[in-house]
Amino acid sequence: MIPTSFDYVAPESLDEAVALLQKHGDDAKVLTGGQSLIPLLRLRLARPGVVVDLRKLSDLGRIESAGEALEIGAAATHAEVMNSAAALEKCPLLSETAGEIGDVQVRNTGTIGGSLVHADPAADWPAAMLALGATMVLSGPQGERAVAAEDFFVGLLESAAQPGEILTGIRVTVPRQPAARAYRKLAQSASGFALAGAAVQLALDGDTIAEARIGITGVAEHAYRPREVEAALTGGALDASSVETACASAAEGVEVLEDIHAGAAYRGHLASVLTKRAVLAAIERAHGHAS
Amino acid sequence: MEITVSVNGKPERRDVEPRLLLCYFLRDVLGLTGTHVGCETSLCGACTVLVDGKAVKSCTRLAVQCDGQEVTTIEGLARNGELHPMQAAFREHHGLQCGFCTPGMILAAVDLVDSGEARDETAVRHGLEGNLCRCTGYQNIVTAVLEAAGSSS
Amino acid sequence: MSGDTSYIGKPVRRKEDRRMIQGLATYVEDVDLPGLHHVAILRSPFAHARIDGIRREAALAFEGVVDVITGEDTTHIGTVPRSTVLPEEVNSPRTPVLAEGKVRFAGEPVAAVVATSKEAARDALELVEVDYDPLPVASEPEAALADGAPVLHEGIDDNLAFDWTLAGGELTWGDARERADRVIEQRLVHQRLAPIAMEPRGVVARFDPGTEETTLWTSTQIPHFVRTFVAIMLSIPETKLRVIAPDVGGGFGSKLNVYREEALLCFLARRTGKPVKWIERRSENFQSTIHGRGQTGDVQVAVTSDGKILGIHYDVLADLGAYHQLLTPAMPAITGLMLSGAYAIPHITIHVRGVFTNRMSTDAYRGAGRPEATYVVERVADLVAAELDMDPVELRQRNFPSEFPYETATGLTYDSGDYVKALNKAIEVGEYAGLRAQQAEARAEGRLVGIGLSSYVEICALGPSSAMPSGGFGWDSATVQVHPTGSVSVLTGVSPHGQGQETSFAQIAADKLGLDLDQVEVKHGDTHAVQYGVGTFGSRGIAVGGVALYRALEQVIDKATRLAAALLETEADQVRFEGGVFHGPDGALAFGEVAFAAHVAKDLPPGFEPGLRATAFYEPENFTFPFGTHLCVVEVDPELGTIDIQRFLAVDDCGKVVNPMLVDGQIHGGIAQGLGQALLERVVYDDAGQLLTGTLMDYAVPKAHQLPRFQTERTETPSPVNPLGAKGVGEAGTIGATPAVVNAVVDALRPLGVRHLDMPLTPDRIWTAIQAAERSKVGAR
């Protein structure tokens, strides 16, 4: 209930923040919304000496259109992404995914960057990041570097962000048009995290799928792209049975998680079903929109 | 460290430990015990308050994060002795029994209505996902929120 | 009753809400005292281990720490009490306040730190060093009964607390089997549940060295019991202990107990000379506040081919946990007593073995033994109906008792009832025939739609002292104190914590005395303000506490009538009290005028005692037996295994109703918990006795979007047991709802060949069952 004692710093600039992290190394934790960090502090599962709060770096909260891309500050809250007109217009999969996260209070406080760095295997954002082919922008002592989403999630609660690095933003290229998208998840009944979740971003071409990118969360140690499914969908027809067949291998080649909430067989099955449902929902929505 | 937080319209300047959670800042430092704490994993929502008008779980926020912000607690909801319509609706529709979840539930519901999310029963039920009640089965709470939403719109 | 009922029967809004909706209520954590110190409790990380040593020096040296105690310091404190009426001998090992040389469940208190701040207490807790020598673990009853199982308590080598059989009825089990056309068998699991009152437990204690009095604030349903038993544990006079239950944030049975921390904090207050506070963290609540249910049994039912149930034989293991709490062994006893359910069953046997396991104790959780019994009987009803291919409605109708009072094979006497009426109302309002037709259409489309019924009966108004599961203390009390101005304080021995009795009791008093509701204040929960009472549990508030109040009101009216007669210069039998006015042949006096006269005492007749106050202790002659039928319609998504509750209709009969709004509220909340058991909730320990559902991230308390809107209907069959005609309603929803849901889901999957599913009906379980059913179909081809 009560965290261990720590020092608190709210740096005025990104450089200052990076310098603080460099100085304190593993002893420092970055705080944005706190929805992942503070429960860990309260249960004393995290015991930092210094908490570096990024709240004064107002640039980190921006969501901006930049030509064919969307730049999302890492400290934008889930609710800000959900309600962003730019996101809704250019990349509605972001808004849809944001709306599925946690609850109202968590969405009001938690940040996209905080969630991504925490890399919870059942978090919602990683699925969308993979489906969108997003790029994570990290700042560290050596300056800025960009990491593709599929290189960003590397293990259980482990992202590619190195100690001393701060995730500052997420860059999303506006999906190829005409586009279709959907996120489908089955929530773990207590936590609201995904037992499994599938985010789908499609490019359509008449009666076929021209391109498919899919991110699956909740099923493995970290979110992943089911490449076989993507390949099977690409160039394929839009009918339910073709889609179902293509999605059957959504958990193939993956070491599926098992816990008291869902066994591996069921989780693997969910990956296929939710992927199928997301693809079909995306298509249906796109057609509804077109007509 | 020293922080200034506006609580229920009144600026409160205090020297606090960085590890102090907002809920205990309100309860122990300011004596506003209407904010309740029911879990340690940010799930029960009993501690919900409004920070800059938005529902937030005060158990999952450091007091120092709120420096310069405005906080509304259940004690600040009634104005000039007049109950907030949400408070009145909870009473009218028997939306509470033991009362422990009630302050957080009411504040979450106020945010829901203010943000236009209390459109219908399904939306209200989803909107209250972050607040647990073990007594009421939620039915009368949902009814109260829908009524308050109707009367305020 | 007097004819005037201007409040009773009406949905009067609650008096307690004013403070609660404004954040002005006082729960234990809100109690603040000058010089308050804080207590943190070190709990065992192991389910079973010897304690070889504890070093407290580092913790004691921590800034702000004033005391650190371990089990060595508390050996003189008596055992945490347990009580039961089980006729058989119950092995009752000592339940120490702090572990003494050995821990027996993960979460057992080992040491306590007292410090000037809660931060210091929490920080110093990490400095207490304990040398544990882990022992083999018996995490489940089966494991605890196995050959060579680890022994939890010295001298109880078989880990059995008791081995109890109840068998009765007009037939023997042998006869029932012989006359039956079939015997149907099924294993049934009642998973462990965590009550999860939204307010965790909390205790504040203060010792006054001048008066040598200890004041204990505790979040409890039974303040007087706590006073009695903590006084016994600490060997102090009961007069020197005052227990206050302030606003209590839900209980559901979890606060119907005497807990280690209550005695511990009193001890620490005296030992340190400081007022001390301990507030349970939610993770502690999961570990060391009682759990409910935890029974696994094999049922056999002997039945004729036309659907007459001749006998039930139930052989069950009760997972008691490591120690007894107050009512631990009583739970399976209640299950046994209630195994006749709503039916006339000529023979019933229950054989219970109560087993010690390396887990937290099980005890009373909303329903307390009846949900287990009802689940057995109602699953049996549907299993039989399915096997005989009979409509479950017809099966139930065929087995209801035909007249009341009805004496069950287990020796209970059902007071009154009309089970047919409740069932018929459910099928009429629910349009059962139409539902079955829709189901047939859905099935033809390959959809999995199910309809489930549950016709329950439960035992309430606990109860006659001689038959109480707590081994007595079945009565309750009330004082009616009329003040000179005519306003009235009601002091009740029950201890409401959400039930709304500050309102419903005021309704009773205001009606009876002809007063406005605002003229009545109901006080409860302070042992120094209220005469001894028993508490709030077992759906007894109105049906026992309310009746005590009724009796006290009658005494007050009787006395006031005699005084009014004297003042009106007539005889008492000439005075009629109606609408708050005493009417004599030649004049009338308002209640307030008589109250004033009683206190002024200037014109009292000779020998008439001044004042106007009465206390009644009411001992019920029997339990009451509320009943009803719940109807549930579900559709299962075969791909995801999820369940959509399309309809939930509850027809409940709780006798006469004082406040229908409160009754509906109780039903709603009860159903939510019943659905929680059916669909979501379970406490899981692993084989090492580690709790895997130790936070709300893993233990699913139902949320608003996971529940449907409930439709509530009532029939009203007054209880002949008490003058209010009330039966009780607090647990009915929980008892009735669970089997209705499970029956509906099993019914949905019936076309696939599924005959039973264990709770909770998680999507994984449903999907797995569907897969297995489809595989076996393929195999059968």
Side-chain angles (χ1 to χ4, degrees):
Chain A
M1 203 68 140
I2 298 164
T4 52
S5 203
F6 53 78
D7 290 332
Y8 170 90
V9 199
E12 305 278 346
S13 71
L14 187 59
D15 289 347
E16 193 189 332
V18 170
L20 278 165
L21 292 186
Q22 201 175 5
K23 180 176 161 200
H24 294 286
D26 282 351
D27 201 29
K29 282 274 179 196
V30 174
L31 172 68
T32 52
Q35 301 304 289
S36 303
L37 178 61
I38 293 176
L40 293 177
L41 294 175
R42 296 176 72 193
L43 295 167
R44 300 197 167 199
L45 296 172
R47 310 166 75 100
V50 183
V51 167
V52 179
D53 187 352
L54 305 184
R55 66 191 291 256
K56 292 186 179 166
L57 310 184
S58 52
D59 282 359
L60 291 193
R62 290 208 188 127
I63 302 171
E64 287 177 336
S65 278
E68 282 305 287
L70 205 59
E71 308 262 354
I72 302 153
T77 64
H78 310 309
E80 283 163 352
V81 179
M82 184 173 87
N83 296 322
S84 155
L88 198 58
E89 186 201 329
K90 297 202 159 172
C91 197
L93 182 60
L94 288 171
S95 325
E96 184 179 354
T97 305
E100 291 293 319
I101 297 171
D103 51 52
V104 170
Q105 293 95 319
V106 167
R107 292 196 290 274
N108 281 341
T109 321
T111 66
I112 183 170
S115 170
L116 289 171
V117 173
H118 185 58
D120 191 295
D124 299 293
W125 277 132
M129 294 298 109
L130 289 168
L132 290 165
T135 302
M136 315 295 152
V137 182
L138 298 160
S139 278
Q142 269 77 50
E144 199 172 272
R145 69 181 178 116
V147 180
E150 50 210 271
D151 301 322
F152 189 74
F153 308 107
V154 296
L156 190 75
L157 297 170
E158 194 187 348
S159 76
Q162 296 300 307
E165 280 189 318
I166 293 172
L167 176 66
T168 56
I170 297 99
R171 197 177 301 139
V172 181
T173 306
V174 173
R176 179 176 150 189
Q177 305 295 319
R181 50 76 202 183
Y183 179 54
R184 286 292 178 271
K185 102 180 198 194
L186 184 65
Q188 195 257 72
S189 53
S191 69
F193 277 86
L195 279 182
V200 168
Q201 185 72 47
L202 308 174
L204 301 180
D205 181 8
D207 290 339
T208 57
I209 296 170
E211 194 182 322
R213 286 179 79 99
I214 297 166
I216 293 180
T217 190
V219 176
E221 280 203 332
H222 58 81
Y224 65 94
R225 284 177 63 185
R227 302 220 176 231
E228 262 184 54
V229 175
E230 292 178 353
L233 286 169
T234 303
L238 307 182
D239 64 285
S241 113
S242 308
V243 170
E244 178 159 8
T245 309
C247 293
S249 58
E252 229 142 82
V254 168
E255 195 167 324
V256 178
L257 294 176
E258 185 158 33
D259 61 19
I260 58 170
H261 303 291
Y266 177 62
R267 262 208 174 84
H269 163 77
L270 279 184
S272 299
V273 173
L274 293 168
T275 303
K276 175 190 77 174
R277 290 191 180 191
V279 171
L280 291 174
I283 292 168
E284 192 183 323
R285 194 187 270 149
H287 284 175
H289 189 72
S291 60
Chain B
M1 63 179 285
E2 193 169 274
I3 58 170
T4 303
V5 185
S6 167
V7 178
N8 299 329
K10 188 171 158 229
E12 301 282 2
R13 178 182 240 183
R14 293 289 194 285
D15 191 23
V16 300
E17 260 198 284
R19 64 168 155 170
L20 183 70
L21 300 166
L22 175 59
C23 56
Y24 294 123
F25 175 71
L26 297 169
R27 291 182 52 84
D28 299 342
V29 178
L30 302 183
L32 295 169
T33 56
T35 301
H36 300 150
V37 182
C39 79
E40 40 196 349
T41 50
S42 200
L43 259 154
C44 83
C47 65
T48 299
V49 299
L50 303 180
V51 175
D52 290 345
K54 287 286 172 196
V56 161
K57 290 175 183 171
S58 65
C59 76
T60 313
R61 194 172 183 84
L62 303 174
V64 291
Q65 285 179 281
C66 302
D67 187 23
Q69 293 186 314
E70 287 182 18
V71 176
T72 304
T73 71
I74 190 70
E75 290 92 342
L77 212 51
R79 290 285 149 82
N80 308 320
E82 185 106 348
L83 291 178
H84 185 282
M86 192 62 74
Q87 291 172 311
F90 267 62
R91 179 167 196 272
E92 177 61 24
H93 294 284
H94 189 32
L96 63 150
Q97 290 180 26
C98 83
F100 195 78
C101 77
T102 308
M105 193 71 80
I106 286 177
L107 287 162
V110 166
D111 181 25
L112 210 59
V113 172
D114 287 353
S115 60
E117 295 294 319
R119 297 178 302 276
D120 55 25
E121 172 143 2
T122 305
V124 169
R125 285 181 180 270
H126 277 279
L128 295 177
E129 198 172 330
N131 294 76
L132 297 180
C133 169
R134 195 61 155 161
C135 292
T136 64
Y138 303 100
Q139 184 149 319
N140 290 341
I141 291 174
V142 172
T143 303
V145 176
L146 286 169
E147 195 224 51
S151 63
S152 72
S153 63
Chain C
M1 303 277 323
S2 65
D4 187 0
T5 58
S6 50
Y7 292 112
I8 290 180
K10 292 187 180 146
V12 173
R13 301 303 184 264
R14 296 205 319 172
K15 290 163 76 82
E16 40 278 80
D17 288 358
R18 197 193 70 85
R19 64 179 186 272
M20 290 178 175
I21 56 179
Q22 298 186 87
L24 302 174
T26 303
Y27 300 87
V28 170
E29 192 173 6
D30 306 335
V31 172
D32 195 12
L33 301 169
L36 187 65
H37 281 51
H38 298 265
V39 176
I41 294 173
L42 186 68
R43 295 177 187 276
S44 170
F46 294 102
H48 201 192
R50 250 197 333 270
I51 298 175
D52 290 339
I54 303 178
R55 286 178 300 283
R56 55 180 121 177
E57 294 72 22
L60 268 170
F62 192 82
E63 192 183 342
V65 171
V66 302
D67 203 357
V68 178
I69 63 164
T70 72
E72 286 179 6
D73 303 304
T74 55
T75 51
H76 65 286
I77 299 179
T79 179
V80 172
R82 72 116 188 116
S83 54
T84 174
V85 288
L86 272 180
E88 257 70 1
E89 191 184 322
V90 176
N91 281 321
S92 292
R94 171 176 166 81
T95 306
V97 162
L98 294 174
E100 295 168 354
K102 188 172 162 176
V103 289
R104 296 179 177 87
F105 68 96
E108 181 167 357
V110 171
V113 174
V114 185
T116 51
S117 71
K118 55 188 173 195
E119 287 82 3
R122 179 70 184 84
D123 291 344
L125 204 61
E126 297 185 347
L127 303 176
V128 179
E129 295 171 58
V130 185
D131 298 327
Y132 293 102
D133 183 7
L135 297 167
V137 171
S139 181
E140 295 211 60
E142 290 81 357
L145 293 179
D147 286 341
V151 172
L152 271 80
H153 298 281
E154 224 172 281
I156 309 176
D157 293 342
D158 55 5
N159 290 322
L160 272 182
F162 57 88
D163 185 326
W164 177 67
T165 302
L166 170 72
E170 62 205 61
L171 297 181
T172 64
W173 176 235
D175 291 341
R177 283 183 69 106
E178 209 158 283
R179 292 189 200 179
D181 297 308
R182 312 176 186 217
V183 176
I184 299 168
E185 301 182 7
Q186 181 62 48
R187 165 156 288 206
L188 296 168
V189 180
H190 313 272
Q191 76 273 31
R192 266 186 183 241
L193 301 176
I196 312 295
M198 290 321 301
E199 182 208 18
R201 291 189 292 120
V203 181
V204 173
R206 176 179 63 193
F207 178 70
D208 181 328
T211 61
E212 294 189 305
E213 185 180 295
T214 302
T215 306
L216 171 65
W217 288 262
T218 181
S219 185
T220 186
Q221 303 171 225
I222 46 167
H224 283 94
F225 256 40
V226 169
R227 188 185 77 186
T228 300
F229 285 111
V230 170
I232 292 170
M233 290 171 76
L234 297 175
S235 305
I236 58 174
E238 218 174 333
T239 50
K240 296 295 189 188
L241 181 59
R242 174 184 187 182
V243 175
I244 300 172
D247 285 313
V248 170
F252 315 112
S254 73
K255 296 170 183 174
L256 162 55
N257 231 302
V258 179
Y259 281 103
R260 295 168 175 83
E261 293 86 356
E262 289 166 328
L264 187 65
L265 272 273
C266 290
F267 170 67
L268 286 171
R270 187 163 191 159
R271 179 174 151 116
T272 62
K274 312 286 185 195
V276 287
K277 177 190 267 191
W278 168 78
I279 300 299
E280 185 182 56
R281 295 182 290 132
R282 183 58 69 190
S283 53
E284 291 179 287
N285 180 262
F286 275 108
Q287 289 182 330
S288 62
T289 287
I290 61 102
H291 296 156
R293 320 286 191 257
Q295 296 180 11
T296 300
D298 292 305
V299 66
Q300 299 174 68
V301 53
V303 63
T304 63
S305 52
D306 61 350
K308 181 78 188 95
I309 298 172
L310 299 178
I312 287 181
H313 186 285
Y314 188 46
D315 193 347
V316 60
L317 291 183
D319 170 8
L320 303 182
Y323 299 96
H324 293 301
Q325 285 278 344
L326 190 63
L327 298 168
T328 299
M331 295 303 108
I334 299 177
T335 303
L337 289 173
M338 290 306 294
L339 262 188
S340 197
Y343 308 108
I345 301 177
H347 175 82
I348 289 170
T349 296
I350 181 169
H351 172 220
V352 193
R353 283 173 293 165
V355 188
F356 290 118
T357 56
N358 290 116
R359 297 171 164 188
M360 180 55 198
S361 313
T362 51
D363 202 304
Y365 167 55
R366 200 172 195 170
R370 293 97 105 196
E372 296 90 324
T374 306
Y375 183 70
V376 171
V377 178
E378 289 306 295
R379 282 298 300 130
V380 158
D382 266 34
L383 283 163
V384 169
E387 181 126 346
L388 300 178
D389 206 17
M390 185 182 283
D391 190 294
V393 169
E394 195 185 338
L395 186 280
R396 283 174 170 79
Q397 285 166 336
R398 200 161 286 186
N399 286 284
F400 285 149
S402 49
E403 55 188 30
F404 292 89
Y406 171 73
E407 190 172 335
T408 69
T410 57
L412 295 171
T413 304
Y414 291 173
D415 57 339
S416 63
D418 192 341
Y419 304 166
V420 178
K421 189 174 172 186
L423 174 62
N424 285 347
K425 186 155 189 179
I427 64 180
E428 277 158 31
V429 174
E431 297 175 323
Y432 181 76
L435 290 176
R436 284 290 177 201
Q438 289 165 23
Q439 180 188 37
E441 284 172 30
R443 280 181 174 167
E445 296 166 17
R447 285 161 51 213
L448 302 175
V449 172
I451 301 163
L453 288 165
S454 158
S455 290
Y456 72 92
V457 62
E458 65 138 336
I459 181 169
C460 280
L462 269 52
S465 298
S466 59
M468 278 289 282
S470 53
F473 290 99
W475 51 272
D476 224 303
S477 67
T479 294
V480 174
Q481 170 69 60
V482 183
H483 303 293
T485 53
S487 64
V488 170
S489 294
V490 169
L491 312 176
T492 173
V494 301
S495 197
H497 43 280
Q499 294 85 353
Q501 275 132 11
E502 290 176 30
T503 306
S504 56
F505 280 20
Q507 288 177 257
I508 295 171
D511 266 10
K512 194 91 174 114
L513 299 176
L515 300 174
D516 282 342
L517 207 62
D518 291 344
Q519 291 173 278
V520 182
E521 283 300 324
V522 178
K523 294 289 172 202
H524 54 84
D526 180 347
T527 61
H528 269 30
V530 177
Q531 73 290 337
Y532 203 97
V534 176
T536 293
F537 56 88
S539 305
R540 67 195 304 280
I542 295 275
V544 184
V547 179
L549 169 59
Y550 185 85
R551 295 273 174 85
L553 289 163
E554 283 186 326
Q555 291 177 34
V556 159
I557 291 168
D558 182 59
K559 181 175 178 184
T561 305
R562 283 186 283 121
L563 178 55
L567 297 172
L568 294 167
E569 297 178 346
T570 181
E571 295 303 315
D573 60 8
Q574 298 297 303
V575 174
R576 187 167 45 84
F577 181 54
E578 201 179 296
V581 179
F582 295 92
H583 300 275
D586 303 313
L589 284 169
F591 180 75
E593 294 177 274
V594 176
F596 199 72
H599 287 85
V600 173
K602 176 162 73 71
D603 300 321
L604 296 186
F608 196 93
E609 196 176 275
L612 196 49
R613 172 189 174 105
T615 297
F617 291 78
Y618 166 64
E619 166 69 30
E621 286 160 21
N622 188 8
F623 300 103
T624 60
F625 295 86
F627 59 92
T629 291
H630 290 191
L631 171 71
C632 179
V633 182
V634 301
E635 179 160 2
V636 173
D637 178 332
E639 267 191 341
L640 294 181
T642 50
I643 295 161
D644 178 27
I645 299 182
Q646 299 181 327
R647 183 148 188 207
F648 198 98
L649 166 66
V651 178
D652 297 284
D653 192 322
C654 58
K656 297 288 270 186
V657 168
V658 173
N659 185 327
M661 179 187 83
L662 298 181
V663 166
D664 274 344
Q666 289 296 313
I667 294 288
H668 291 167
I671 295 172
Q673 287 177 344
L675 266 54
Q677 170 161 25
L679 301 176
L680 300 169
E681 299 182 38
R682 63 175 149 171
V683 170
V684 183
Y685 285 92
D686 68 11
D687 290 343
Q690 293 296 321
L691 184 59
L692 301 183
T693 50
T695 73
L696 290 169
M697 296 287 279
D698 287 305
Y699 187 93
V701 171
K703 301 175 188 180
H705 71 287
Q706 293 165 332
L707 296 175
R709 181 160 280 268
F710 315 124
Q711 184 180 359
T712 55
E713 296 281 348
R714 269 191 284 286
T715 59
E716 192 171 290
T717 309
S719 172
V721 174
N722 62 65
L724 290 172
K727 285 179 174 249
V729 73
E731 294 152 291
T734 306
I735 293 164
T738 308
V741 178
V742 176
N743 283 343
V745 176
V746 173
D747 186 49
L749 302 189
R750 207 176 145 207
L752 304 176
V754 172
R755 134 182 221 281
H756 179 71
L757 293 160
D758 282 327
M759 302 180 289
L761 304 175
T762 61
D764 189 352
R765 279 193 176 163
I766 299 292
W767 178 77
T768 304
I770 292 172
Q771 297 309 300
E774 283 175 352
R775 268 198 307 277
S776 71
K777 267 192 182 169
V778 170
R781 267 175 212 151

